[in-house]
Amino acid sequence: MIPQVITNETITVISPNGTNFPKTDRPLPTHERQDSLKKHLKAEIKVMAAIQIMCAVMVLALGIILASVPSVPHFTSVFSVLLKSGYPFVGALFFIISGILSIITETKSTKTLVDGSLTLNILSVSFAFMGIVIISVSLAGLHPASEKCMQSKELRPTEYHHYYHHSYDSDRNECSVAQSVLAGVFSLMLISTMLELGLAVLTAMLWWKQSHSDFPGALADTSH
């Protein structure tokens, strides 16, 4: 018969040759696993909220740059739609508030704060969708605007050929530079907005799960 040594933590089996074969430890209590999961969940929310604020600041800064750009023939109409929609400012403001509230809720989790963070993240998802559509339309409008810009330069007089040939090349370069700069600004704003969309969706899902796990009774009352 193989002798066995039983401890409080593990069960150790001693074979005849002196080799120990420890068995699996007892599983952690349920409340300890839940506490560990909540700490991990809150840490994830805090990191995502910080990235969300950074992306929002990027969108806001690019919007300010576009608003401060002087009138550019044939290109102003392309980004004026984006500015008139207010997305770079209102959307960024919602993203920043949502990220800050998520950080506050991570440190002091109450039902009101959790519900507020969930609502703001859902609104952020809506603004991000709207921003992606508007920025994509603006990006698509850059090429036609560049073509019109170059065509307008071709209508210049042809006398003094050498002078106007040099001027025409310079004007074409201006059209290309304006298109490239705006394409870079729109691309950065689009990437930041897509990150905002993904982060807002993930954060909303995490707050939804936490509201179900932390306040099951309150949710049951509201459903009746």
Side-chain angles (χ1 to χ4, degrees):
M1 181 177 179
I2 301 176
Q4 296 181 351
V5 178
I6 301 176
T7 64
N8 292 331
E9 298 295 333
T10 59
I11 298 177
T12 305
V13 179
I14 304 176
S15 63
N17 58 3
T19 304
N20 296 336
F21 298 96
K23 291 189 176 181
T24 306
D25 294 341
R26 292 184 303 174
L28 291 174
T30 304
H31 69 277
E32 290 185 10
R33 292 200 304 269
Q34 290 179 350
D35 291 341
S36 177
L37 180 61
K38 288 179 182 179
K39 290 180 180 178
H40 181 69
L41 184 66
K42 289 183 177 182
E44 287 183 349
I45 291 175
K46 190 174 183 178
V47 171
M48 288 190 294
I51 300 175
Q52 192 175 9
I53 294 173
M54 292 174 61
C55 292
V57 171
M58 175 68 74
V59 172
L60 180 61
L62 293 174
I64 294 174
I65 291 174
L66 287 176
S68 60
V69 169
S71 178
V72 182
H74 308 287
F75 288 100
T76 303
S77 59
V78 176
F79 59 84
S80 64
V81 177
L82 177 62
L83 294 177
K84 288 179 181 178
S85 68
Y87 165 73
F89 312 108
V90 180
L93 181 62
F94 266 94
F95 298 150
I96 292 173
I97 295 175
S98 177
I100 293 175
L101 187 59
S102 293
I103 293 175
I104 295 174
T105 308
E106 183 268 336
T107 57
K108 185 180 179 181
S109 181
T110 63
K111 185 180 184 302
T112 302
L113 289 175
V114 171
D115 291 343
S117 296
L118 178 61
T119 302
L120 280 177
N121 277 284
I122 293 174
L123 290 175
S124 296
V125 171
S126 302
F127 275 103
F129 267 120
M130 181 186 72
I132 289 173
V133 172
I134 296 174
I135 297 170
S136 299
V137 171
S138 299
L139 272 172
L142 283 178
H143 182 69
S146 180
E147 291 293 330
K148 290 181 181 179
C149 180
M150 292 182 180
Q151 288 175 3
S152 67
K153 307 305 180 184
E154 294 176 355
L155 300 177
R156 297 177 63 117
T158 57
E159 62 266 18
Y160 304 110
H161 174 72
H162 295 289
Y163 171 77
Y164 281 109
H165 180 71
H166 175 73
S167 178
Y168 172 68
D169 290 340
S170 177
D171 290 338
R172 286 179 64 90
N173 288 334
E174 289 179 3
C175 296
S176 299
V177 169
Q179 181 185 9
S180 300
V181 171
L182 289 175
V185 171
F186 290 154
S187 297
L188 286 175
M189 190 177 292
L190 182 61
I191 292 172
S192 299
T193 301
M194 293 177 69
L195 284 174
E196 287 285 357
L197 175 62
L199 291 170
V201 170
L202 289 175
T203 307
M205 292 175 61
L206 291 175
W207 284 130
W208 177 263
K209 290 180 180 179
Q210 182 162 340
S211 65
H212 274 72
S213 61
D214 288 354
F215 313 104
L219 292 174
D221 294 338
T222 56
S223 61
H224 289 294

